[in-house]
Amino acid sequence: MASNSTVSYKQLKEEFVSNLSGGSVAEICSVTAVAPVAALLWSVLQARHSFFKPYTPLAFVVDFLLNVGAILLSITLYSSSSLLLNGLILAAAIFVYAIPPNSAGRRKNLKPKVPPTTARVQSKDATSPSLSNLSTKPFLTTYRGCLMVATCLAILAVDFRLFPRRFAKVETWGTSLMDIGVGSFVFSAGIVGARPVLKERAEGKTTAIAQRLLSSLRHSLPLLTLGVVRLLSVKGLDYAEHVSEYGVHWNFFFTLGLLPPFVAIFQSALRIIPSYAGLAILLGVLYQVALESTSLKAYILTAPRTDLLSMNREGIFSFCGYLAIFLAGQDTGMFVLPRRLSTRPSNSIPGSLQRLTLVLTMATWTLVWATLYFLTTNYHYGAGLTVSRRLANLPYMLFVVAFNSMQLTAFCVIDTVFFPAFYTAPDARVEKELHHTATSRVLRAFNRNGLAIFLLANLLTGLVNMTVPTLDVGQLATMGILIAYASALAGVAVALDMYDITLKL
């Protein structure tokens, strides 16, 4: 009897995340806008009042409530009134900005320990390292931290009834919050993936394709191992799974793990098309043509699962779309990561002009990607295609890239307005301190050990689902579980950061 009830409950859970059609793009943008709006309030508190320096227990609580709590509220209790939540946080930011700052305390807390004049002299010494060609900009840390927080929250929240079904992954056609999250993870990895390419170019070296493949496989191995572990645990524990998402055996870790070697191969194609964005668009278009002009689309969506390929057809063929997203992310990284966009000496270009150039470049690319998305999906002026995360088709790829470019630009604008000193740091030591001043410790901690925290989130999600009947839990208990889960993740992340521990997986 217990066995039958267990089976039926597993079926209920699978049905709970199946055959969903998603929600509107406008609502997704509204719900996710809470991240940059909360970052705005955090920045006002820090830049005007030095609230998070020193980092007291109260500062941690406020940091957590703003950068984790606000995102949690937007996908649960405020899911139907995200504009109200954004308005409340924005009103708080305006109110805090209007409060006159304690200028003496603010100067004391926000200025670098090494005065700029001294730092310029010391930058020539070994004790004060000079600036590299690449920089870790605060807005990029904030963006990646927010993405990790939202991903970790959503993978558990989706199992509760409080999390709207329109936010969960769609079955085949449509847009949803969790669909954009999967693609955003890949786009974010692409941005960081531009770093070794930029280093190689700065050093004037050309790495052989065999060496690039070997290096990429070293990065892939941990992810592929996690994929195998997840596969064995899901099958071994008879865990509820949504087969049409990636297939019978495939999972997202396999997709992430296979990206680096394929990107290494695509490096050679840059001689023909010297642009990652161009490669991304070409790959997306070719994949879409294959879907529309052959029987590939019908095979992916309807073929019987008779062999290894057909059993995992969604995960295998959607890899083309995710590879295009990764390449587009890499293109973004090519102008976000360098210290300056111009090849002219940095001292000949004012810092304000460099910041403005970066913002305008990002805004322009956001407009380009959004226009391409409009042209592929609009029925009157474009191709009239529909987004499909299951296929990872061209509209999905463009939707993900346009969305992330917009989010990144929003964080960049906040960064530029409130923390301009970072962009004129005289040496690496001062720059690091200014970076810490301009970024939330919670988000920085989530970003620093992202993969380890994501793995912990998956383990905790499995534990909750195996011990709690999530479909039967009320609203109050749901929020209690999600807050405890979010607190545990944030606590572990910040503790690792405080002890200067980076877990390389």
Side-chain angles (χ1 to χ4, degrees):
M1 187 73 178
S3 174
N4 289 337
S5 65
T6 305
V7 170
S8 63
Y9 184 71
K10 180 190 173 186
Q11 289 171 346
L12 270 175
K13 295 201 77 170
E14 288 174 354
E15 288 169 8
F16 190 57
V17 293
S18 301
N19 302 313
L20 303 175
S21 55
S24 70
V25 171
E27 185 183 35
I28 292 167
C29 292
S30 173
V31 168
T32 53
V34 74
V37 172
L40 174 66
L41 176 52
W42 186 95
S43 299
V44 171
L45 282 166
Q46 178 73 324
R48 292 279 287 177
H49 304 284
S50 192
F51 186 85
F52 301 98
K53 198 170 183 180
Y55 199 73
T56 60
L58 176 62
F60 168 73
V61 171
V62 175
D63 194 1
F64 173 81
L65 289 175
L66 279 178
N67 293 301
V68 180
I71 294 174
L72 178 58
L73 286 175
S74 72
I75 62 174
T76 52
L77 297 177
Y78 281 83
S79 58
S80 298
S81 49
S82 53
L83 287 176
L84 173 62
L85 180 60
N86 285 320
L88 290 172
I89 299 172
L90 192 59
I94 294 169
F95 175 75
V96 172
Y97 189 84
I99 299 172
N102 180 353
S103 55
R106 179 170 169 269
R107 279 197 300 269
K108 180 182 175 183
N109 287 328
L110 285 183
K111 73 177 182 179
K113 290 177 185 175
V114 181
T117 51
T118 310
R120 286 191 187 95
V121 175
Q122 289 181 338
S123 65
K124 297 174 183 176
D125 303 331
T127 56
S128 189
S130 59
L131 295 167
S132 67
N133 292 323
L134 306 178
S135 68
T136 306
K137 296 185 172 68
F139 72 85
L140 186 56
T141 300
T142 303
Y143 156 78
R144 284 172 56 83
C146 285
L147 173 60
M148 185 57 65
V149 167
T151 302
C152 291
L153 291 175
I155 60 173
L156 177 59
V158 70
D159 295 314
F160 293 88
R161 295 193 184 277
L162 185 58
F163 187 85
R165 293 302 86 198
R166 65 185 182 278
F167 288 176
K169 291 174 182 174
V170 302
E171 186 66 27
T172 303
W173 308 106
T175 54
S176 78
L177 182 70
M178 289 194 74
D179 282 343
I180 198 70
V182 175
S184 299
F185 217 93
V186 174
F187 182 87
S188 174
I191 294 175
V192 177
R195 188 172 287 274
V197 179
L198 287 164
K199 279 185 178 177
E200 188 179 296
R201 289 184 182 180
E203 293 167 3
K205 294 192 302 186
T206 304
T207 309
I209 187 166
Q211 193 176 337
R212 276 205 303 268
L213 275 171
L214 192 64
S215 175
S216 66
L217 287 170
R218 281 200 295 268
H219 288 94
S220 294
L221 200 57
L223 290 163
L224 295 173
T225 303
L226 288 175
V228 172
V229 170
R230 178 175 171 79
L231 170 64
L232 295 175
S233 60
V234 166
K235 300 298 180 186
L237 297 170
D238 197 28
Y239 195 71
E241 55 182 327
H242 189 193
V243 172
S244 64
E245 189 178 340
Y246 294 108
V248 176
H249 310 102
W250 199 276
N251 60 59
F252 191 52
F253 286 114
F254 289 136
T255 298
L256 287 176
L258 288 174
L259 282 168
F262 276 87
V263 170
I265 294 168
F266 265 74
Q267 288 277 96
S268 305
L270 287 173
R271 296 184 190 131
I272 305 166
I273 304 173
S275 162
Y276 283 106
L279 281 174
I281 293 169
L282 179 63
L283 180 60
V285 169
L286 290 175
Y287 177 50
Q288 188 65 43
V289 168
L291 288 172
E292 300 297 332
S293 61
T294 69
S295 59
L296 180 60
K297 182 162 64 175
Y299 175 78
I300 296 171
L301 298 180
T302 62
R305 300 184 188 275
T306 55
D307 53 26
L308 201 59
L309 178 64
S310 59
M311 281 181 181
N312 300 287
R313 57 187 188 266
E314 292 93 346
I316 292 168
F317 289 103
S318 67
F319 182 78
C320 296
Y322 288 117
L323 179 56
I325 291 169
F326 188 95
L327 291 169
Q330 215 166 4
D331 186 79
T332 303
M334 297 301 282
F335 59 81
V336 165
L337 295 177
R339 189 163 303 285
R340 59 182 185 274
L341 290 172
S342 173
T343 54
R344 291 161 56 194
S346 59
N347 55 12
S348 68
I349 307 172
S352 57
L353 182 58
Q354 290 194 50
R355 297 195 309 274
L356 180 62
T357 304
L358 178 59
V359 169
L360 290 175
T361 303
M362 293 176 67
T364 301
W365 271 107
T366 300
L367 184 61
V368 168
W369 292 116
T371 303
L372 289 173
Y373 170 72
F374 174 81
L375 290 175
T376 55
T377 56
N378 187 270
Y379 285 96
H380 297 292
Y381 304 104
L385 299 172
T386 307
V387 173
S388 173
R389 188 263 324 144
R390 186 176 174 187
L391 298 170
N393 60 356
L394 180 63
Y396 174 72
M397 171 254 177
L398 293 171
F399 174 44
V400 167
V401 178
F403 171 84
N404 281 274
S405 298
M406 180 177 66
Q407 284 269 313
L408 205 53
T409 303
F411 286 120
C412 182
V413 170
I414 295 167
D415 204 24
T416 300
V417 170
F418 289 99
F419 304 104
F422 172 85
Y423 295 88
T424 53
D427 62 43
R429 184 166 55 184
V430 176
E431 184 183 71
K432 184 178 180 181
E433 189 171 341
L434 289 170
H435 178 274
H436 285 191
T437 299
T439 51
S440 149
R441 182 151 205 173
V442 168
L443 295 180
R444 199 165 67 236
F446 267 90
N447 177 54
R448 179 174 184 174
N449 287 295
L451 192 54
I453 298 300
F454 183 57
L455 182 59
L456 175 62
N458 274 274
L459 293 172
L460 290 177
T461 297
L463 180 64
V464 170
N465 274 278
M466 290 169 64
T467 55
V468 177
T470 56
L471 298 185
D472 305 326
V473 175
Q475 194 174 94
L476 189 63
T478 297
M479 287 306 295
I481 291 169
L482 290 174
I483 290 168
Y485 163 79
S487 302
L489 291 178
V492 170
V494 172
L496 288 172
D497 187 60
M498 285 179 68
Y499 286 102
D500 199 27
I501 297 171
T502 303
L503 299 175
K504 297 279 187 183
L505 295 181

